[in-house]
Amino acid sequence: MFQKILIANRGEIACRIIRTARRLGVRTVAVYSDADARALHVEMADEAIRIGPPQAAESYLDAERIIAAAKITGAEAIHPGYGFLSENPDFVDAVVAANLTFIGPSSASIRAMGLKDAAKRLMEKAGVPVVPGYHGEAQEIVLLASKAREIGYPVLIKARAGGGGKGMRRVDDPEEFAEALSGARREAKAAFGDERVLVEKYVDKPRHIEVQVFGDNFGNVVHLFERDCSAQRRHQKVIEEAPAPGMTPEMRAAMTQAAVTAAQAIAYSGAGTIEFIVDASDGLRPDRFWFMEMNTRLQVEHPVTEMVTGIDLVEWQLRVAAGERLPLAQDEIALDGHAFEARLYAEDAARGFLPSIGTLHHLEFPRANDALRVETGVREGDAISPFYDPMIAKLVTHGPDRPAALTALGRALDGTEVAGSTVNTAFLAALAADADFAAGDVDTGLIGRKQAAMTAIPPPSDGIVAAAALAATGIAERPISADPWSGLAGYAHFHATPQRTHLRLGEQEIVAQISVQNGGARIALETAAGGTLPVHPAAARLACWPGHITVFDGAAAYNFAVPDPLASADEAGVGADALRAPMPGLVKLVRAARGETVAKGQPLLILEAMKMEHTITASRDGVIDEIAAEGAQVSDGTVLVRFVEENDG
């Protein structure tokens, strides 16, 4: 076994690797950018070394700096985690050339599976079923459009490199093909440096089921059963589970054998995942699944496999890379119960899942136990950076069966508290509680069909508003955990007239009147009609931080702003006359010009942020007075487009 390894990654995966290494007595070296100088993985590791500025291209993607850090610290091996350089064969070659061990597959295996088109041709040759489509080298738009017509709409345009839904577009009509292809190529070029694509048949009721495989350097390959990752939005996974609901013995035997065959075809060593697309329109049938791609690394969702097999996949990675054989044979690996993983992100589900940044002023998870595992790389007080993936944590639950594991997931989401950044906790809870999802009737289109309902934010009850108002008066000098009245204990001051407290929830202005006498309080909310409505504060969980009060109600969080009465209104009140950047990003493409007349809903520019493209559309009909320049780097709230005021003229 290694004495010391360097982890070429950050966040929750770096923390996850450190925990296993520590248990095995292996010392760890963390690397960090300037943005991560005080990150949790830096604190947890035995040593840490700076590798550059916040931009990933100059730090976590800089192979030379990472290898130099390993040499300086005396690390024997490098664990890539996932993302960044984990599937870069040139990095693997450089690690080996530096007389270090890469904890993962060979560069040859990564190259064989690194490009989706070449990988599918290889799988066809090995006898693994492949989804119908065009996987050739030619990239002329006329040819691709012709192939799309031959395949039959709807089709899926996919970047041949990378993953995570980047460079992917569904096309339902030939008239939309050129625009979709252009967007997919731009996104693929930005994310992977390769704009080439493939075109495949879009399966009407697709499920995404993947098989965890593991190989060693002695020719042994096993599978650790399957995971269902069908609950997706914008082609990105949201909740994963193992095993797949509705899986039959015949389907499992066929799929796992295909996965093992795929890994054997490239002499695979280490942890890998074979991803299949499944036509679930007639249940799970052995003749209705096709190879999509192989991820030649550890997966984000690997904990669900660990929960149902009792196997530490990171430990296996370390042992295999150190030259050991696989610890278990296929007949020694068994399924035990059911597991779910929910990805907790800093994103605004109600606004199309826009990534969100901010400081985590309050962060609390339920206590881990046999039924719950929390994987995180952040702590209270940390900031969600615009430079990296906005994941906060993964909540992983286990139970003897699927209903028990799903119940545990619901409890975990209800008990999670995050304040300071908009998060997707309530959306995850709505998905977990959805009747179709609970019944196991899930496909990759489930969230899209029900997105409006799953992301809707119910208005807070009067009791929740009253609890926030009471906290805002300053009567309660500490965050109130269970009872908003507790802050009044021992308070005996007399107010002859009610205090008026102002709050803001989104665009809604709220005014409450609070009277306090001899430790008791009366609260009334002012109504639109000019009267007041007496209310009683709900028993609530609250977090108070400068200028804000967050009230938690189950998995929902209501963030009330407490306006500063001395603060003057500024340009933020321009309303419909300007469009602002919803997050920091790069203006990738500008589609309109100053003086141009545009219609409501018309695409005006594309903002690239958090590794994804976001189209900014006109909020109303009008004439453009100002528009951001292409290539401009903008911060959150920057005015991107300003319209000529309607009364100008």
Side-chain angles (χ1 to χ4, degrees), residues 369-642:
N369 52 50
D370 291 342
L372 174 64
R373 169 174 161 182
V374 179
E375 298 283 351
T376 186
V378 295
R379 301 149 298 186
E380 185 168 296
D382 287 350
I384 301 300
S385 165
F387 298 103
Y388 315 116
D389 186 271
M391 179 183 285
I392 293 175
K394 302 182 303 192
L395 303 181
V396 191
T397 61
H398 181 264
D401 52 33
R402 191 173 187 272
L406 190 56
T407 297
L409 180 62
R411 284 198 302 264
L413 291 167
D414 283 350
T416 296
E417 300 177 1
V418 184
S421 178
T422 303
V423 293
N424 66 340
T425 319
F427 161 69
L428 293 172
L431 172 58
D434 176 75
D436 288 334
F437 185 83
D441 184 13
V442 60
D443 60 78
T444 58
L446 174 66
I447 293 174
R449 292 191 299 273
K450 300 187 176 186
Q451 183 170 326
M454 289 181 178
T455 59
I457 303 173
S461 67
D462 289 341
I464 288 174
V465 175
L470 183 59
T473 62
I475 295 171
E477 297 180 355
R478 60 183 183 278
I480 309 165
S481 60
D483 180 7
W485 295 100
S486 63
L488 296 174
Y491 189 86
H493 188 67
F494 175 77
H495 285 277
T497 58
Q499 281 185 250
R500 297 180 81 243
T501 299
H502 294 257
L503 299 172
R504 188 171 62 248
L505 181 64
E507 299 299 318
Q508 181 185 6
E509 299 290 338
I510 301 168
V511 179
Q513 296 183 14
I514 303 179
S515 302
V516 182
Q517 185 174 2
N518 297 326
R522 294 180 180 177
I523 303 177
L525 301 180
E526 295 186 5
T527 67
T532 59
L533 176 68
V535 294
H536 190 285
R541 298 133 53 206
L542 290 89
C544 302
W545 43 289
H548 297 269
I549 296 163
T550 300
V551 184
F552 302 101
D553 182 29
Y558 297 95
N559 182 32
F560 294 87
V562 184
D564 181 352
L566 300 180
S568 60
D570 61 10
E571 199 183 17
V574 294
D577 287 331
L579 296 173
R580 294 178 177 273
M583 71 199 80
L586 174 71
V587 178
K588 192 72 174 179
L589 185 67
V590 176
R591 293 182 167 181
R594 183 179 181 183
E596 183 176 339
T597 300
V598 297
K600 182 178 180 180
Q602 180 177 330
L604 301 182
L605 55 83
I606 292 176
L607 183 69
E608 183 182 87
M610 299 281 195
K611 306 178 185 178
M612 298 291 287
E613 287 188 353
H614 306 275
T615 301
I616 306 299
T617 61
S619 57
R620 63 172 175 85
D621 296 347
V623 177
I624 294 178
D625 185 41
E626 297 176 23
I627 190 164
E630 201 164 287
Q633 190 76 41
V634 298
S635 58
D636 185 20
T638 299
V639 173
L640 298 174
V641 181
R642 192 184 303 277

Side-chain angles (χ1 to χ4, degrees), residues 113 123 126 128 257-268 274 291 294:
M113 290 297 192
M123 290 299 98
V128 177
Q257 181 56 58
V260 170
T261 297
Q264 290 172 331
I266 57 171
Y268 195 78
I274 309 296
F291 172 87
M294 182 178 189

Side-chain angles (χ1 to χ4, degrees), residues 80-414:
Y82 47 69
F84 294 131
L85 295 169
S86 62
E87 294 181 282
N88 185 320
D90 294 336
F91 177 61
V92 179
D93 287 338
V95 170
V96 173
N99 294 317
L100 299 168
T101 299
F102 180 76
I103 302 174
S106 67
S107 60
S109 292
I110 295 176
R111 285 192 176 94
M113 290 297 192
L115 298 176
K116 297 182 181 71
D117 51 357
K120 288 179 179 179
R121 293 194 294 270
L122 177 63
M123 290 299 98
E124 283 182 305
K125 186 176 180 180
V128 177
V130 174
V131 66
Y134 172 72
H135 309 127
E137 291 286 341
Q139 293 288 300
E140 292 81 5
I141 184 172
V142 174
L143 173 66
L144 295 177
S146 173
K147 292 296 183 182
R149 288 181 183 273
E150 289 178 17
I151 296 165
Y153 285 89
V155 298
L156 201 61
I157 300 173
K158 299 172 65 175
R160 73 169 194 160
K166 300 176 183 67
M168 186 180 295
R169 298 288 191 279
R170 171 180 168 165
V171 190
D172 295 299
D173 187 281
E175 296 299 320
E176 303 168 358
F177 187 84
E179 178 73 13
L181 176 63
S182 177
R185 282 176 164 169
R186 271 197 318 274
E187 201 167 85
K189 180 72 173 177
F192 317 120
D194 185 347
E195 70 175 10
R196 285 170 287 185
V197 300
L198 47 85
V199 183
E200 293 181 341
K201 176 66 179 173
Y202 184 84
V203 179
D204 288 331
K205 190 176 181 182
R207 281 179 64 176
H208 180 144
I209 301 177
E210 59 190 32
V211 176
Q212 177 72 60
V213 294
F214 223 108
D216 62 19
N217 295 308
F218 301 92
N220 302 305
V221 177
V222 298
H223 71 80
L224 290 88
F225 303 100
E226 80 282 352
R227 297 184 289 257
D228 194 304
C229 307
S230 301
Q232 301 180 6
R233 50 91 176 150
R234 292 202 310 237
H235 306 293
Q236 293 185 316
K237 301 167 186 175
V238 176
I239 294 180
E240 302 97 344
E241 61 181 300
M247 180 61 71
T248 65
E250 295 78 16
M251 177 74 160
R252 177 173 288 139
M255 183 174 280
T256 54
Q257 181 56 58
V260 170
T261 297
Q264 290 172 331
I266 57 171
Y268 195 78
S269 176
T273 298
I274 309 296
E275 301 194 350
F276 296 100
I277 189 74
V278 179
D279 181 353
S281 59
D282 192 24
L284 298 184
R285 290 174 40 180
D287 62 343
R288 296 287 184 90
F289 72 89
W290 303 279
F291 172 87
M292 281 201 305
E293 61 183 327
M294 182 178 189
N295 288 311
T296 51
R297 53 169 168 79
L298 197 66
Q299 292 280 91
V300 177
E301 60 272 21
H302 77 274
V304 295
T305 294
E306 295 182 324
M307 293 290 255
V308 297
T309 62
I311 293 170
D312 185 331
L313 295 183
V314 174
E315 178 180 344
W316 276 33
Q317 284 187 299
L318 296 178
R319 292 193 180 283
V320 166
E324 298 182 23
R325 293 178 180 271
L326 289 177
L328 296 175
Q330 188 66 69
D331 60 3
E332 297 176 295
I333 303 170
L335 275 173
D336 175 25
H338 204 98
F340 286 94
E341 174 184 287
R343 302 188 185 192
L344 183 64
Y345 277 103
E347 64 181 13
D348 192 340
R351 298 175 64 203
F353 301 102
L354 283 176
S356 176
I357 62 172
T359 299
L360 301 174
H361 291 283
H362 175 81
L363 181 64
E364 186 172 320
F365 300 109
R367 187 181 301 276
N369 52 50
D370 291 342
L372 174 64
R373 169 174 161 182
V374 179
E375 298 283 351
T376 186
V378 295
R379 301 149 298 186
E380 185 168 296
D382 287 350
I384 301 300
S385 165
F387 298 103
Y388 315 116
D389 186 271
M391 179 183 285
I392 293 175
K394 302 182 303 192
L395 303 181
V396 191
T397 61
H398 181 264
D401 52 33
R402 191 173 187 272
L406 190 56
T407 297
L409 180 62
R411 284 198 302 264
L413 291 167
D414 283 350

